[in-house]
Amino acid sequence: MSSEPLEPPRLRWWLALACAAAGGYLLDIASPGLAWWWAAFPGVGLIVAAVWQQRWPLGLLLGAVAGAAFWMPHISWLTLYLGPVPWLALSTVMLLWFALFGAVASLATRGLAVLARGVFVPERHRRRALRALPLAQALAVAGLWVLREGVQGSWPYGGFPWGRLAHTQAEGPLLQSVSWLGFAGLSGVLALVCAVPVACSFACASAATGRATRPLLVATAASAVAILVLALLPATALERTGSVRIGAVQGNSKSGIFDDRDSGSVLGDHLAATQTMLDQLEAEDESVDLIVWPENSAEFGIPDNPLGSYRLAKLSERAGAPILIGSVLASDDGTYTNSSLLWGPEGQLPGRYDKLHPVPFAEYMPNREFFHALAPDLVDLVQLEYAPGTLPSALDLSTQAGVVRAGLAICFDIIFDAQAVAMVDGGAEVILAQTNNADFGRTDESAQQLAIARLRAVETGRALVNISTVGTSAVVAPDGSELDRLVPHTADAMVATVPLVHGATPALVIGAPVAGGFMLLGGAGLALGAAALIARARRSARSGSAAAGAEQL
């Protein structure tokens, strides 16, 4: 650590760079597919230590390094069919947010240290301020981490709330705590318990040795206790009013953008897989109340396809259950919707949901002329313009078990917190997450998406059916356990009886205020730290001017 006079201690630049890179890569290791959830703790700790009390230009660089080390491997699945340009573009946007985090976290921690140790605090209060400094710095950093995730998840073009710190815990012992804290709250608490020991270690470095190590030990123990408490928290138990037996079909179709397939083959694959499922059910004298197909499983314009509609109706009649399908529908204004429709023995039934969050640069092209000038071949691949849906995210499905109120999420809809709130506020008793991961092959993308879906099930307290054209598909219980799972890239079906749930978890009731509280703490820490540094700079400038004048006299 540097020993620059009157400056808070910080890591040397070369060590900070190494810590930032290692920390970012550990965050990717903590995520699916490896899902070594514990790696998130040293990962965050190293990133935070790297930027701690640095000057903001170096903090900006360190944040960018950490962001690159995380995002570039984390979303490398984008390169599978589209090459490096989209991957580099999205990685750049995401690491820019990380860079800004590095800059503001450096400003806040350094400025708060200057505030506590400087002339801005009266001598009689300075010891108390120094004692409070580590917690104040840690709260500021945790708040800025949550703020970064929040801004990243909303801007630009609707945001990309992927790769959040909470996502690393989908397969770890902290999973069920998301029903109390929500996604942003869990990210904030994780960042806080990692930042507190870092804060105390730097405080010890600026104090005398000996008794100065005691706060570090206490802080580390407190962080460990906090993690243990979170691990022991059970998922919130909500009222269960019944159950529904659902069959979910993975057709293993050639349903990617660049797949060479015949028109109707995706529909045919799901018809065939459903018939096989019904054969097995009938042989065992069993049945289902509802059948769920993935996103795009009925291809384009199924209501205008007489043969496809007839085959769906006959299949529903045989099953004695409606089929929730996915189809692309044309609108009168020339745009398209990525839609969920319900089919019964008589044909299409009432009820429709249109994907609320179409993916920019994939399902629609924002600022088409501008980006066409930069990469015309890639932009021309996006031929259809999908419009955001305006229909409610929860709808009634008439089944043999009665009317089931289902919350619907198509593909990336499931990653948005607002979608979860809308589904539960709409009265959803179960969540049906239809997706098509065929464009990402056997990469980690589908595992990462299922991890988010698992957290979403626990956060909302609802069973969730995550069904893909190719996988990864699973039925998740309200506590995050799996009721059934399919082998990816196989044609198969899963059948499970899932509970119907009413009510809202604490995460949905207080999740937004908790997130807002973390963000306010981050903003306040940044404002106080920046003000202290500005005031010190002005004081130094005045002192320099006065000294120069005295010399002239």
Side-chain angles (χ1 to χ4, degrees):
M1 297 183 181
S2 66
S3 57
E4 201 172 322
L6 303 179
E7 277 292 320
R10 57 185 182 267
L11 297 182
R12 297 187 183 276
W13 68 267
W14 53 269
L15 181 57
L17 283 172
C19 287
Y25 189 62
L26 281 172
L27 283 185
D28 180 58
I29 289 175
S31 307
L34 283 177
W36 293 356
W37 59 269
W38 51 267
F41 296 96
V44 174
L46 286 170
I47 292 171
V48 169
V51 302
W52 204 265
Q53 298 177 165
Q54 300 284 359
R55 297 183 184 277
W56 74 262
L58 180 56
L60 188 75
L61 174 61
L62 294 168
V65 169
F70 170 65
W71 280 108
M72 297 186 83
H74 193 65
I75 58 172
S76 58
W77 35 263
L78 271 174
T79 65
L80 183 63
Y81 294 117
L82 298 177
V85 174
W87 167 68
L88 285 171
L90 183 56
S91 296
T92 299
V93 173
M94 293 297 105
L95 70 85
L96 283 175
W97 291 126
F98 243 111
L100 287 174
F101 165 77
V104 296
S106 297
L107 267 174
T109 52
R110 180 166 171 258
L112 288 172
V114 167
L115 179 65
R117 298 169 61 199
V119 296
F120 308 108
V121 175
E123 184 67 35
R124 64 182 182 276
H125 296 310
R126 197 166 297 168
R127 179 172 296 180
R128 187 179 302 171
L130 288 172
R131 288 175 179 171
L133 173 62
L135 180 59
Q137 290 175 309
L139 285 169
V141 167
L144 291 170
W145 190 289
V146 174
L147 183 60
R148 174 189 64 79
E149 289 189 349
V151 175
Q152 162 202 313
S154 58
W155 192 89
Y157 306 121
F160 187 56
W162 198 272
R164 296 163 76 176
L165 182 54
H167 297 171
T168 63
Q169 302 305 303
E171 298 184 34
L174 306 185
L175 166 64
Q176 297 188 4
S177 65
V178 79
S179 70
W180 299 90
L181 298 170
F183 281 51
L186 181 54
S187 285
V189 170
L190 292 174
L192 179 61
V193 299
C194 294
V196 166
V198 172
C200 289
S201 67
F202 277 90
C204 291
S206 63
T209 59
R211 289 182 301 171
T213 59
R214 184 177 178 184
L216 175 59
L217 296 175
V218 172
T220 303
S223 295
V225 169
I227 294 169
L228 180 62
V229 170
L230 289 179
L232 294 176
L233 275 178
T236 306
L238 299 178
E239 179 188 4
R240 299 191 178 190
T241 59
S243 62
V244 61
R245 191 162 171 79
I246 297 178
V249 180
Q250 176 180 286
N252 194 30
S253 313
K254 291 184 176 181
S255 47
I257 295 175
F258 301 107
D259 281 336
D260 183 14
R261 61 178 180 270
D262 296 327
S263 177
S265 64
V266 177
L267 174 62
D269 288 336
H270 286 85
L271 287 166
T274 306
Q275 289 166 349
T276 300
M277 178 189 72
L278 294 178
D279 289 341
Q280 295 172 350
L281 288 171
E282 290 167 1
E284 299 168 0
D285 196 24
E286 294 184 1
S287 63
V288 292
D289 302 312
L290 173 67
I291 297 172
V292 183
W293 283 11
E295 174 190 18
N296 305 146
S297 50
E299 303 185 41
F300 284 82
I302 189 63
D304 301 320
N305 179 346
L307 179 58
S309 298
Y310 173 78
R311 296 175 72 187
L312 276 171
K314 296 303 289 183
L315 192 62
S316 174
E317 181 180 17
R318 177 189 173 188
I323 306 173
L324 186 71
I325 62 173
S327 183
V328 176
L329 305 180
S331 303
D332 293 337
D333 62 359
T335 61
Y336 293 80
T337 58
N338 189 344
S339 302
S340 298
L341 305 171
L342 192 64
W343 232 260
E346 304 302 322
Q348 185 176 357
L349 300 176
R352 169 178 168 177
Y353 169 72
D354 300 330
K355 185 176 182 180
L356 190 59
H357 301 94
V359 181
F361 306 100
E363 293 179 309
Y364 75 97
M365 180 55 63
N367 308 115
R368 182 176 285 271
E369 292 185 2
F370 172 78
F371 289 108
H372 190 272
L374 299 177
D377 292 339
L378 285 172
V379 170
D380 287 341
L381 292 175
V382 184
Q383 298 180 1
L384 303 183
E385 290 287 330
Y386 287 75
T390 57
L391 298 173
S393 301
L395 54 87
D396 289 331
L397 306 179
S398 297
T399 73
Q400 293 293 335
V403 175
V404 174
R405 187 75 171 171
L408 298 183
I410 299 177
C411 195
F412 280 5
D413 277 345
I414 200 66
I415 71 177
F416 291 90
D417 293 350
Q419 185 81 6
V421 174
M423 290 188 291
V424 173
D425 285 351
E429 302 169 295
V430 63
I431 295 175
L432 307 177
Q434 302 164 284
T435 187
N436 176 12
N437 305 107
D439 285 320
F440 308 111
R442 299 176 184 271
T443 66
D444 289 344
E445 188 276 341
S446 64
Q448 292 171 8
Q449 186 172 326
L450 178 60
I452 298 171
R454 187 188 312 280
L455 285 158
R456 195 66 76 194
V458 178
E459 179 203 34
T460 60
R462 266 73 177 163
L464 184 147
V465 179
N466 189 83
I467 183 64
S468 169
T469 50
V470 296
T472 305
S473 299
V475 181
V476 182
D479 64 357
S481 61
E482 286 186 1
L483 301 177
D484 202 354
R485 173 192 275 258
L486 297 179
V487 176
H489 301 281
T490 60
D492 204 349
M494 50 190 178
V495 177
T497 300
V498 302
L500 301 177
V501 176
H502 284 281
T505 61
L508 296 181
V509 175
I510 65 171
V514 168
F518 269 113
M519 292 179 186
L520 285 174
L521 287 170
L526 175 61
L528 285 172
L533 291 173
I534 291 171
R536 190 180 71 164
R538 289 176 176 173
R539 183 183 294 271
S540 298
R542 287 195 299 268
S543 299
S545 299
E551 288 179 2
Q552 291 177 0
L553 291 174

